[in-house]
Amino acid sequence: QKEVEQNSGPLSVPEGAIASLNCTYSDRVSQSFFWYRQYSGKSPELIMSIYSNGDKEDGRFTAQLNKASQYVSLLIRDSQPSDSATYLCAVGAGTALIFGKGTTLSVSS
Amino acid sequence: NAGVMQNPRHLVRRRGQEARLRCSPMKGHSHVYWYRQLPEEGLKFMVYLQKENIIDESGMPKERFSAEFPKEGPSILRIQQVVRGDSAAYFCASSPQGLKTEAFFGQGTRLTVV
């Protein structure tokens, strides 16, 4: 069974710090990887997509992919209280887009 | 360019009734995914459809649940003879070219079974 694993948290960081979120996946042939943010009671919002090994930066966000280790991460620089949310890792595995259970991030001011 | 539209936003059904949830993908998107989310839990994959085809329904319960995405009109998730355990948020997402491209979510339908 294809699985995506994330630490549930909560991950607590002070305002201005770097938040590091991690994700591992089981299906070696996965080709597409995504990070979503979900505020309580709202729908998931796409933050980043990454398809090849290495880093991809977009503003304060950097996604990192290591297919050999089956590992995806998201770094959030200069964390803000508005970044407090649940972050979902999603992996395109075979014929399904599978989500982890999410990591709750809390940024304190 | 309108986003993914789901309706209704809230749906209340009595046990034994049918629930029909609709999802209109973004313009130009022909791939739709359906997910169920229970409170404080993650998104559980249910089904992946392309226009007129079910690509992967491995996450769908074997009974009472069905999904379609006709050539014209929205994708429909249908739950027959609802039970209290079906109460959840149901989200759909759409993408232009399946798993190789980014998927965007609708606002969800909150189903309550009383």
Side-chain angles (χ1 to χ4, degrees):
Chain A
Q1 185 166 346
K2 296 160 187 168
E3 294 184 340
V4 177
E5 299 287 343
Q6 296 181 254
N7 288 326
S8 61
L11 174 65
S12 298
V13 300
E15 183 175 359
I18 295 175
S20 177
L21 304 157
N22 305 313
C23 170
T24 58
Y25 59 94
S26 63
D27 189 351
R28 285 194 166 274
V29 300
S30 299
Q31 294 295 318
S32 53
F33 308 87
F34 309 92
W35 282 99
Y36 288 81
R37 176 173 61 195
Q38 187 175 28
Y39 293 109
S40 182
K42 302 295 185 182
S43 60
E45 172 192 9
L46 180 68
I47 299 174
M48 295 277 289
S49 60
I50 187 166
Y51 303 97
S52 55
N53 281 330
D55 295 0
K56 179 181 178 182
E57 186 175 319
D58 184 359
R60 295 187 297 113
F61 299 97
T62 299
Q64 300 173 316
L65 174 61
N66 183 327
K67 289 185 179 180
S69 301
Q70 295 175 237
Y71 176 88
V72 194
S73 66
L74 179 70
L75 299 177
I76 306 175
R77 289 180 299 282
D78 188 24
S79 295
Q80 301 297 309
S82 58
D83 294 327
S84 298
T86 297
Y87 288 80
L88 304 170
C89 172
V91 176
T95 54
L97 183 62
I98 305 298
F99 281 77
K101 292 187 176 181
T103 298
T104 300
L105 173 66
S106 177
V107 181
S108 55
S109 56
Chain B
N1 187 12
V4 180
M5 303 300 291
Q6 287 189 250
N7 67 81
R9 293 288 305 276
H10 301 275
L11 182 62
V12 179
R13 284 286 177 265
R14 295 186 183 278
R15 281 177 293 171
Q17 290 185 319
E18 178 180 289
R20 290 171 69 87
L21 288 61
R22 295 174 182 77
C23 171
S24 296
M26 290 177 68
K27 186 176 180 180
H29 288 194
S30 59
H31 298 252
V32 167
Y33 312 85
W34 284 94
Y35 294 86
R36 176 164 62 179
Q37 188 173 42
L38 294 169
E40 308 304 321
E41 293 194 10
L43 288 163
K44 182 179 183 300
F45 169 77
M46 299 183 74
V47 62
Y48 165 29
L49 308 106
Q50 195 177 357
K51 281 283 188 181
E52 299 185 273
N53 289 304
I54 296 174
I55 306 300
D56 186 327
E57 56 180 349
S58 59
M60 288 276 273
K62 293 290 186 284
E63 299 178 349
R64 302 189 297 109
F65 285 73
S66 62
E68 63 176 5
F69 189 13
K71 185 177 181 181
E72 301 292 337
S75 175
I76 306 288
L77 179 66
R78 182 183 179 201
I79 311 172
Q80 295 178 290
Q81 299 175 330
V82 296
V83 301
R84 287 215 170 118
D86 296 332
S87 296
Y90 292 83
F91 291 100
C92 81
S94 74
S95 68
Q97 294 183 18
L99 296 175
K100 299 177 182 177
T101 53
E102 297 170 342
F104 298 90
F105 279 81
Q107 295 300 306
T109 294
R110 271 72 177 174
L111 172 65
T112 302
V113 180
V114 297

